[in-house]
């Protein structure tokens, strides 16, 4: 018998001449985006018609027990999204108008169409400008036989894009969204992965809503920290961290920025003293080791020496003020800050460490020629230590030398100066740099300097 024959496959094909089949095959893919746009339009219309009812339902679900916070969060989100959309319209118009005019001057056909397309497509982050630039650039290759027109078109789009990104957008956007630049990029990647092109279009408004939730809902505060544009660390914490890291360059930048707004007094009151107070608080909680404390103190003194211009030494007959760090090198750094403020006023301000006024070492200090003694404390509760030190200084310098007690971290109202004076027997108490200078003026120390200057003048 012959070899077995393989069965012949049979395939049933339908006639493709059916009109409905042709319409379905041709128009089906094209109608899908139109149908999606229609659904979005219908939902938008009904949501706008019933916006009050939807708002009430959202409030009921989100937090009817705290209407104040819920209303504030909704208003904040609405205002931010509205400002973002308005500014984006302005930015897109200022982008599309130069594009249209530039293409018209270059001789590219239909410049009005390409300018309008650039304005509309720029609503799509990142991809929109590239798509808008592709059409006129490809057209320039078709209408020009050389490379001049295409290169000019590319240069036009690059120049306008750079100007819009680096000048127009920072000027108009400002704090309209409250998002950091990195958050915008991450949000665009996340929402595009999740929802495709629609997610790319809605990435910024949706992320703005998440940041607003993080600002008003304590459990979601990490969203504002990760995505928001507000500084997450105050200046004193940043300076403290840089001093711990032994980074004098960035520490100087932070300090100079603060000084540019109000001088050394403002920088000392609002930045340097709070930085030392943070270090003292960590020391009291045993979170700052001796090496870290030394790094902060030495870095602060070096910072002060770098900021202050070298002033000529005061004459020997000018009043001498001893600025003493009462307990540690952090107190000594605060005393050095006060000394830098007193020297330009004509005083001789000597900064002494705490070891020089100990029981064994205080005898080495000259008991005469001192006009005032300033004790620097970053710990406002160290009144018992201050009482013992004031008594020791009284015995050494005598009762005629005034003693100023500076409690830098004390609150002027919570820690009353009268209470500190009664507990320590100090002559005056100050809680700020300005207050310390004022107290020395009232004690007559600075008045003596002015009196000496007057005959010379």
């Amino acid at each position: 018998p012959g070899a077995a024959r393989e069965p012949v496959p049979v395939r049933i094909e339908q006639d493709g001449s059916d009109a409905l089949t042709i319409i379905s095959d041709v128009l089906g893919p094209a109608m899908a985006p139109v149908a999606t746009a229609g659904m979005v339009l219908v939902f938008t219309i009904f949501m706008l018609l019933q916006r009050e009812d939807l708002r009430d339902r959202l409030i009921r679900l989100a937090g009817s027990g705290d209407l104040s916070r819920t209303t504030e969060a909704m208003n904040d989100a609405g205002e931010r999204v509205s400002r973002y959309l308005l500014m984006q319209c302005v930015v897109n118009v200022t982008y599309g108008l130069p594009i249209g005019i530039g293409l018209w001057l270059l001789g590219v056909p239909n410049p009005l169409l390409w300018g309008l397309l650039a304005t509309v497509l720029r609503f799509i982050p990142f991809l929109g400008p590239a798509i808008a630039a592709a059409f006129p650039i490809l057209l320039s290759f078709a209408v020009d036989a050389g490379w001049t027109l295409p290169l000019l078109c590319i240069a036009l789009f690059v120049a306008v894009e750079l100007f819009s990104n680096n000048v127009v957008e920072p000027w108009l956007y400002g704090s309209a969204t409250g998002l950091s630049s990195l958050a915008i990029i991450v949000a665009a990647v996340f929402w595009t992965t999740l929802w495709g092109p629609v997610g790319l279009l809605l990435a910024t408004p949706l992320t703005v809503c998440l940041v607003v939730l993080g600002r008003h809902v304590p459990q979601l505060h990490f969203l504002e920290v990760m995505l928001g544009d507000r500084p997450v660390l105050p200046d004193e914490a940043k300076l403290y961290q840089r001093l711990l890291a032994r980074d004098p360059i960035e520490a100087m930048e932070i300090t100079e920025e603060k000084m540019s707004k109000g001088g050394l007094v403002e920088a000392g009151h609002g930045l340097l003293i709070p930085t030392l107070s943070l270090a003292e608080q960590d020391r009291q909680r045993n979170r700052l080791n001796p090496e870290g404390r030394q790094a902060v103190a030495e870095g602060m003194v070096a910072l002060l020496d770098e900021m202050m211009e070298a002033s000529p030494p005061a004459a020997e007959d000018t009043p001498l003020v001893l600025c003493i760090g009462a307990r540690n090198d952090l107190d000594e750094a605060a005393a050095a800050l006060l000394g830098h403020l007193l020297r330009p006023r004509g005083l001789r301000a000597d900064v002494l460490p705490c070891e020089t006024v100990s029981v064994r070492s205080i005898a080495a200090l000259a008991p005469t020629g001192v006009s005032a003694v300033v004790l620097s404390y970053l710990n406002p509760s160290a009144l018992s230590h201050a009482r013992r030190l004031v008594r020791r200084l009284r015995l050494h310098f005598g009762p005629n030398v005034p003693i100023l007690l500076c409690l830098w971290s004390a609150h002027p109202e919570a820690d009353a100066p009268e209470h500190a004076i009664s507990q320590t027997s100090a002559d005056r108490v100050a809680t700020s740099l300005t207050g310390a200078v004022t107290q020395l003026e009232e004690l007559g120390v600075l008045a003596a300097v002015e009196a000496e200057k007057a005959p010379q003048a």
Side-chain angles (χ1 to χ4, degrees):
R5 299 176 58 187
E6 295 182 359
V8 179
V10 178
R11 183 172 59 190
I12 301 175
E13 297 183 354
Q14 297 181 352
D15 188 6
S17 60
D18 189 1
L20 293 177
T21 304
I22 296 176
I23 294 175
S24 176
D25 294 340
V26 175
L27 298 181
M31 291 299 294
V34 177
T36 303
M39 293 175 59
V40 172
L41 181 62
V42 170
F43 274 107
T44 302
I45 292 175
F46 277 93
M47 289 174 67
L48 292 176
L49 290 176
Q50 298 184 356
R51 61 184 182 276
E52 292 87 358
D53 181 66
L54 291 175
R55 178 198 61 203
D56 297 340
R57 293 178 185 274
L58 182 61
I59 292 176
R60 178 67 179 85
L61 291 175
S64 58
D66 193 353
L67 292 177
S68 176
R69 179 177 296 180
T70 305
T71 303
E72 184 180 357
M74 295 183 65
N75 292 339
D76 191 6
E79 291 175 1
R80 286 177 178 272
V81 174
S82 299
R83 288 199 304 267
Y84 165 72
L85 295 177
L86 177 61
M87 291 301 102
Q88 192 175 29
C89 288
V90 175
V91 169
N92 293 353
V93 170
T94 58
Y95 176 81
L97 188 62
I99 290 295
I101 296 175
L103 294 177
W104 174 69
L105 293 176
L106 294 177
V108 178
N110 302 319
L112 181 61
L113 173 63
W114 306 128
L116 181 61
L117 189 65
T119 302
V120 174
L121 289 179
R122 211 172 188 279
F123 279 98
I124 304 175
F126 307 109
L127 294 180
I131 298 174
F135 291 103
I137 291 175
L138 292 177
L139 182 61
S140 65
F141 279 102
V143 300
D144 189 28
W147 287 89
T148 303
L149 184 59
L151 292 178
L152 290 176
C153 288
I154 294 173
L156 173 66
F157 276 96
V158 170
V160 175
E161 183 70 24
L162 291 176
F163 180 78
S164 180
N165 290 338
N166 297 286
V167 178
V168 179
E169 288 186 4
W171 175 48
L172 292 179
Y173 279 154
S175 59
T177 60
L179 300 179
S180 64
S181 302
L182 181 62
I184 294 177
I185 298 175
V186 173
V189 174
F190 173 78
W191 292 109
T192 303
T193 305
L194 191 64
W195 287 346
V198 177
L200 181 61
L201 185 63
L202 300 177
T204 301
L206 290 174
T207 311
V208 167
C209 295
L210 291 178
V211 171
V212 171
L213 284 176
R215 179 168 300 177
H216 295 278
V217 180
Q219 293 80 1
L220 301 177
H221 181 64
F222 70 94
L223 291 175
E224 185 190 13
V225 174
M226 295 177 60
L227 304 176
D229 62 344
R230 296 198 302 184
V232 296
L233 286 178
D235 291 339
E236 58 268 21
K238 292 191 292 186
L239 179 58
Y240 176 36
Q241 195 275 331
R242 288 295 86 200
L243 292 177
L244 281 175
R246 300 181 183 273
D247 183 3
I249 297 178
E250 190 171 349
M252 177 62 69
E253 292 176 355
I254 298 172
T255 308
E256 288 179 346
E257 182 179 0
K258 191 70 173 181
M259 285 187 62
S260 64
K261 301 177 182 178
L264 181 59
V265 176
E266 180 64 26
H269 180 70
L271 177 65
L272 302 181
I273 292 296
T275 299
L276 294 173
S277 297
L278 289 177
E280 175 63 22
Q281 293 170 12
D282 284 349
R283 186 197 66 82
Q284 296 176 27
R285 294 192 293 261
N286 294 324
R287 296 180 180 177
L288 184 64
N289 54 33
E291 292 77 12
R293 188 185 69 194
Q294 182 181 4
V296 174
E298 292 179 354
M300 183 64 69
V301 173
L303 195 64
L304 293 172
D305 294 338
E306 184 71 21
M307 287 188 305
M308 298 299 296
E309 296 181 356
S311 57
E316 292 295 332
D317 57 346
T318 55
L320 172 62
V321 177
L322 299 182
C323 300
I324 302 173
R327 302 192 70 175
N328 52 52
D329 45 4
L330 296 177
D331 294 336
E332 183 183 350
L337 175 57
L338 179 60
H340 279 288
L341 289 177
L342 296 178
R343 291 189 189 105
R345 297 173 178 267
L347 290 173
R348 286 188 298 153
D350 291 347
V351 181
L352 303 179
C354 59
E355 292 81 9
T356 58
V357 292
S358 63
V359 176
R360 297 181 178 180
S361 303
I362 194 172
L365 292 177
T368 60
V370 178
S371 299
V373 177
V374 180
L375 295 179
S376 174
Y377 279 92
L378 288 168
N379 183 7
S381 61
L383 295 182
S384 59
H385 184 276
R387 180 172 59 252
R388 295 191 300 270
L389 187 54
V390 168
R391 185 184 305 116
R392 190 183 309 154
L393 292 171
R394 291 268 191 230
L395 293 174
H396 182 74
F397 292 106
N400 296 327
V401 176
I403 297 178
L404 173 62
L405 179 62
C406 293
L407 304 176
W408 303 117
S409 302
H411 194 277
E413 297 179 358
D415 304 286
E418 294 79 7
H419 174 70
I421 291 176
S422 64
Q423 291 292 319
T424 62
S425 300
D427 294 285
R428 298 295 176 91
V429 172
T431 58
S432 65
L433 294 172
T434 306
V437 175
T438 302
Q439 295 294 343
L440 290 175
E441 290 178 350
E442 294 180 358
L443 289 172
V445 179
L446 293 178
V449 177
E450 297 298 331
E452 291 179 1
K453 290 182 178 179
Q456 298 176 0

Short mmCIF file of all heavy atoms in Angstrom, two decimals, residues 2 66 115 179 199 225 246 262 290 305 340 378 396:
data_model
loop_
_atom_site.label_atom_id
_atom_site.label_comp_id
_atom_site.label_asym_id
_atom_site.label_seq_id
_atom_site.Cartn_x
_atom_site.Cartn_y
_atom_site.Cartn_z
N GLY A 2 0.35 2.35 -0.60
CA GLY A 2 1.10 3.60 -0.67
C GLY A 2 1.15 4.31 0.69
O GLY A 2 0.49 3.92 1.66
N ASP A 66 -14.72 67.66 60.53
CA ASP A 66 -13.79 68.79 60.57
C ASP A 66 -14.00 69.61 59.31
O ASP A 66 -13.20 69.59 58.37
CB ASP A 66 -12.35 68.29 60.66
CG ASP A 66 -11.37 69.41 61.02
OD1 ASP A 66 -11.81 70.57 61.06
OD2 ASP A 66 -10.20 69.11 61.27
N GLY A 115 2.06 77.72 14.79
CA GLY A 115 2.06 78.45 16.06
C GLY A 115 0.91 78.04 16.96
O GLY A 115 1.07 77.87 18.17
N LEU A 179 4.89 72.51 43.79
CA LEU A 179 5.60 71.26 43.52
C LEU A 179 7.05 71.55 43.21
O LEU A 179 7.38 72.57 42.60
CB LEU A 179 4.96 70.54 42.32
CG LEU A 179 3.51 70.11 42.43
CD1 LEU A 179 3.07 69.44 41.14
CD2 LEU A 179 3.30 69.18 43.59
N GLY A 199 -2.85 60.34 31.57
CA GLY A 199 -2.12 60.55 32.82
C GLY A 199 -1.04 61.60 32.69
O GLY A 199 -0.80 62.37 33.63
N VAL A 225 6.25 66.58 52.09
CA VAL A 225 7.70 66.59 52.26
C VAL A 225 8.40 66.09 51.00
O VAL A 225 9.41 66.64 50.56
CB VAL A 225 8.10 65.74 53.48
CG1 VAL A 225 9.61 65.63 53.59
CG2 VAL A 225 7.53 66.35 54.76
N ARG A 246 31.21 69.21 58.84
CA ARG A 246 32.46 69.93 58.60
C ARG A 246 32.56 70.43 57.15
O ARG A 246 33.55 70.21 56.44
CB ARG A 246 33.67 69.06 58.95
CG ARG A 246 33.70 68.60 60.41
CD ARG A 246 34.92 67.75 60.71
NE ARG A 246 34.91 67.27 62.08
CZ ARG A 246 35.40 67.93 63.13
NH1 ARG A 246 35.93 69.11 62.94
NH2 ARG A 246 35.35 67.41 64.35
N GLY A 262 19.67 91.18 56.68
CA GLY A 262 19.56 92.01 57.87
C GLY A 262 20.84 92.21 58.64
O GLY A 262 20.79 92.72 59.76
N PRO A 290 31.06 64.28 71.99
CA PRO A 290 32.03 65.38 72.13
C PRO A 290 32.66 65.80 70.81
O PRO A 290 32.94 66.99 70.60
CB PRO A 290 33.07 64.81 73.10
CG PRO A 290 32.32 63.78 73.89
CD PRO A 290 31.34 63.17 72.93
N ASP A 305 34.82 84.32 62.34
CA ASP A 305 36.08 84.94 61.95
C ASP A 305 36.13 85.23 60.45
O ASP A 305 36.73 86.23 60.02
CB ASP A 305 37.26 84.05 62.34
CG ASP A 305 37.40 83.92 63.85
OD1 ASP A 305 36.90 84.80 64.57
OD2 ASP A 305 37.99 82.91 64.32
N HIS A 340 32.01 89.62 68.76
CA HIS A 340 32.11 90.21 67.42
C HIS A 340 31.18 91.41 67.27
O HIS A 340 31.48 92.32 66.48
CB HIS A 340 31.78 89.15 66.37
CG HIS A 340 32.93 88.24 66.06
ND1 HIS A 340 34.02 88.64 65.34
CD2 HIS A 340 33.14 86.94 66.38
CE1 HIS A 340 34.88 87.63 65.23
NE2 HIS A 340 34.37 86.58 65.85
N LEU A 378 23.60 78.66 76.80
CA LEU A 378 22.60 78.19 75.84
C LEU A 378 21.52 77.35 76.51
O LEU A 378 20.48 77.10 75.91
CB LEU A 378 23.29 77.36 74.75
CG LEU A 378 24.12 78.16 73.75
CD1 LEU A 378 24.97 77.22 72.91
CD2 LEU A 378 23.24 79.02 72.86
N HIS A 396 35.98 87.34 93.08
CA HIS A 396 37.26 87.61 92.40
C HIS A 396 37.35 89.05 91.91
O HIS A 396 38.40 89.71 92.11
CB HIS A 396 37.42 86.65 91.22
CG HIS A 396 38.72 86.80 90.49
ND1 HIS A 396 39.92 86.35 91.01
CD2 HIS A 396 39.03 87.39 89.30
CE1 HIS A 396 40.90 86.63 90.17
NE2 HIS A 396 40.37 87.27 89.11
#
